[in-house]
């Protein structure tokens, strides 16, 4: 007698097969619907062409042309009837196929419902059986029956495990299907590999030789790139050393620049003082110039020279008068005595 797990596996496998069959049926129905739509579009185009041709036949007045148009119209009418017949046949085939697929789908759904009802009945009976056993069971320590709360916990844990097993079972079925597909693909590749001829082998050898040449070219390019990288690293090292030297020299120049700035500040202060002294001297010179007045005038110089000459004459005259005065005073002293 099959166990519950085996029955579940069979049911899951059948459900998976039913779903695959249903997907195929849906795809076939969709293809039939697309074909029907395409035929309907063609039918509409043909009807438009027939209407245009009928309108042309009514407009033509010549007898021969009317006969030709009538023959063309009859041919078009025959084509139109054939198209309608083919459209009707396709519709009938589509409806028949859809009815068959619906019948198969209903049959599969009924079988699936029956299996699910059996599974639910078996699960319910098995759960009731376990519940009865748990109710009649007694604790080994106390000898008392197991409480309902503990039984409910056991049932919840068992239900959770069953759900996990169901998920794993479905995953296992999907993996089996995927494995079958991979095995089929591998088998097809093996058959294709066995079917290779000598020409294919020679072609593969030529391709292999070409790839080896390309690999050698790439190796040479890689060797060149490595050399270039080495030279670049050396140049970069030299530039780094030069940069360090330039940075040290820059620090020295910064110190010298700071010292020059200090000296420049001192010289600027001195220059400011000298400028102030120069301004003071200029002001004094300006004052002296204003005091000179007409000192450089020729008339004043002549007057000054004349006055000097007069002063010399007056001093000489004064000296003579002083001598005369002394002489007369000396003469008066004996007379008074």
């Amino acid at each position: 007698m099959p166990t519950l797990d085996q029955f579940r596996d069979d049911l899951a496998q059948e459900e998976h097969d039913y779903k695959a069959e249903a997907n195929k049926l849906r795809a076939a129905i969709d293809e039939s619907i697309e074909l029907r739509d395409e035929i309907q579009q063609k039918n509409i185009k043909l009807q438009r062409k027939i209407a245009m041709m009928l309108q042309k036949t009514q407009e033509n007045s010549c007898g021969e042309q009317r006969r030709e148009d009538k023959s063309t119209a009859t041919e078009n009418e025959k084509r139109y009837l054939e198209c309608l017949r083919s459209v009707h046949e396709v519709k009938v085939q589509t409806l028949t196929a859809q009815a068959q697929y619906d019948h198969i789908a209903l049959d599969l759904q009924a079988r699936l419902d029956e299996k699910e009802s059996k599974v639910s009945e078996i699960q319910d009976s098995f759960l009731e059986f376990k519940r009865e056993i748990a109710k009649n069971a007694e604790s080994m320590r106390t000898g008392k029956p197991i409480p309902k709360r503990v039984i409910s916990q056991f049932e919840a844990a068992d239900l959770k495990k069953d759900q996990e097993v169901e998920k794993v079972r479905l995953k296992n079925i999907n993996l089996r299907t995927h494995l079958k597909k991979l095995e089929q693909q591998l088998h097809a590749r093996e058959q294709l590999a066995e079917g290779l001829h000598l020409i294919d082998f020679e072609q593969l050898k030529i391709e292999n030789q070409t790839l080896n040449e390309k690999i050698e070219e790439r190796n040479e390019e890689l060797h060149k790139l490595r050399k270039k990288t080495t030279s670049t690293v050396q140049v970069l090292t030299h530039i780094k050393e030069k940069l360090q030297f330039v940075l040290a020299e820059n620090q020295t120049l910064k110190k010298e620049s700071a010292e020059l700035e200090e000296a420049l500040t001192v010289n600027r202060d001195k220059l400011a003082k000298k400028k102030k002294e120069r301004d003071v001297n200029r002001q004094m010179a300006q004052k002296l110039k204003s005091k000179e007045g007409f000192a450089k005038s020729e008339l004043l110089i002549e007057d000054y020279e004349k006055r000097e000459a007069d002063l010399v004459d007056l001093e000489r005259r004064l000296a003579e008068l002083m001598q005369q005065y002394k002489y007369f005073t000396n003469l008066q002293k004996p007379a008074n005595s």
Side-chain angles (χ1 to χ4, degrees):
M1 182 177 180
T3 60
L4 182 61
D5 293 335
Q6 292 177 355
F7 187 74
R8 286 178 178 174
D9 291 336
D10 296 336
L11 181 61
Q13 186 66 37
E14 288 181 2
E15 184 179 358
H16 187 271
D17 295 337
Y18 293 159
K19 287 181 179 179
E21 187 69 23
N23 291 327
K24 290 180 181 179
L25 294 175
R26 289 193 188 96
I29 291 169
D30 293 334
E31 289 179 359
S32 301
I33 291 170
E34 289 178 358
L35 181 61
R36 183 192 64 186
D37 295 335
E38 186 178 356
I39 292 171
Q40 286 179 355
Q41 293 293 329
K42 289 181 179 179
N43 186 15
I44 292 168
K45 290 180 181 179
L46 289 173
Q47 286 179 359
R48 289 177 181 174
K49 288 181 180 180
I50 290 168
M52 292 173 66
M53 295 180 73
L54 290 173
Q55 187 176 1
K56 287 181 180 179
T57 55
Q58 290 177 1
E59 292 177 355
N60 291 327
S61 59
C62 296
E64 293 179 357
Q65 290 180 355
R66 287 180 180 177
R67 290 175 184 175
E68 291 177 357
D69 292 336
K70 285 181 180 179
S71 62
T72 307
T74 53
E75 290 178 359
N76 290 328
E77 188 175 358
K78 287 180 181 179
R79 291 179 182 176
Y80 176 67
L81 292 173
E82 289 177 358
C83 289
L84 287 177
R85 191 180 300 108
S86 63
V87 169
H88 180 68
E89 290 177 357
V90 171
K91 283 184 178 180
V92 171
Q93 290 176 1
T94 304
L95 292 173
T96 305
Q98 189 171 2
Q100 290 177 357
Y101 295 150
D102 291 338
H103 180 69
I104 293 169
L106 290 172
D107 188 13
L108 293 174
Q109 187 66 37
R111 292 172 63 185
L112 181 62
D113 294 337
E114 184 180 357
K115 295 288 185 181
E116 287 180 350
S117 63
K118 287 182 180 179
V119 169
S120 61
E121 289 177 0
I122 292 170
Q123 285 180 348
D124 293 337
S125 62
F126 184 65
L127 182 62
E128 189 65 28
F129 177 69
K130 289 193 293 184
R131 193 174 294 162
E132 290 294 332
I133 291 172
K135 287 180 180 179
N136 295 325
E138 293 180 354
S139 177
M140 294 177 65
R141 294 181 181 178
T142 59
K144 295 180 180 180
I146 299 173
K148 292 182 179 180
R149 180 176 57 81
V150 177
I151 294 172
S152 300
Q153 291 178 357
F154 286 157
E155 289 178 355
D158 194 10
L159 181 61
K160 187 176 180 181
K161 293 292 183 182
D162 289 338
Q163 291 175 356
E164 291 178 358
V165 169
E166 186 70 22
K167 290 180 181 179
V168 173
R169 187 178 290 109
L170 292 174
K171 187 176 180 181
N172 187 18
I173 292 169
N174 292 326
L175 290 174
R176 284 180 183 176
T177 307
H178 186 62
L179 180 61
K180 287 181 181 179
K181 290 181 180 178
L182 292 176
E183 287 177 351
Q184 290 175 359
Q185 292 177 1
L186 183 61
H187 185 65
R189 288 181 182 178
E190 289 177 354
Q191 289 180 353
L192 181 63
E194 290 176 358
L196 290 175
H197 299 291
L198 183 62
I199 298 172
D200 297 332
F201 180 71
E202 292 295 331
Q203 186 176 359
L204 290 173
K205 284 176 68 177
I206 294 169
E207 290 178 357
N208 190 16
Q209 184 67 27
T210 306
L211 292 173
N212 287 327
E213 292 176 356
K214 288 183 179 180
I215 289 169
E216 290 179 358
E217 291 177 359
R218 295 292 184 274
N219 288 328
E220 290 178 357
E221 291 178 359
L222 182 62
H223 185 64
K224 291 179 181 178
L225 289 173
R226 284 178 179 173
K227 285 184 177 179
K228 191 174 181 180
T229 305
T230 305
S231 61
T232 305
V233 170
Q234 291 176 356
V235 172
L236 184 61
T237 305
H238 178 68
I239 290 171
K240 285 182 178 179
E241 292 176 355
K242 190 173 181 180
L243 178 62
Q244 291 177 357
F245 175 74
V246 170
L247 288 173
E249 189 175 2
N250 190 16
Q251 290 296 118
T252 305
L253 292 174
K254 281 183 179 180
K255 290 180 181 179
E256 292 178 357
S257 177
E259 292 176 357
L260 290 173
E261 286 288 338
E262 292 178 358
L264 181 62
T265 304
V266 174
N267 290 327
R268 281 177 180 172
D269 295 336
K270 290 181 179 180
L271 180 62
K273 291 179 181 179
K274 295 296 181 183
K275 284 183 178 180
K276 288 181 180 179
E277 292 177 359
R278 183 194 63 186
D279 294 335
V280 172
N281 292 327
R282 281 181 179 176
Q283 291 176 0
M284 290 177 67
Q286 192 69 27
K287 289 179 181 180
L288 291 173
K289 283 182 180 180
S290 63
K291 287 180 179 180
E292 276 185 2
F294 297 98
K296 294 181 180 180
S297 178
E298 292 180 356
L299 295 173
L300 291 174
I301 291 170
E302 290 178 357
D303 184 64
Y304 177 72
E305 290 177 352
K306 185 178 179 182
R307 285 177 180 275
E308 276 189 347
D310 293 338
L311 183 61
V312 171
D313 292 337
L314 290 172
E315 286 179 352
R316 184 175 55 78
R317 179 69 176 163
L318 180 62
E320 290 177 355
L321 291 173
M322 287 294 293
Q323 288 177 0
Q324 289 178 5
Y325 175 73
K326 287 180 180 180
Y327 177 73
F328 285 116
T329 54
N330 290 326
L331 289 177
Q332 287 178 0
K333 284 180 179 180
N336 291 326
S337 59

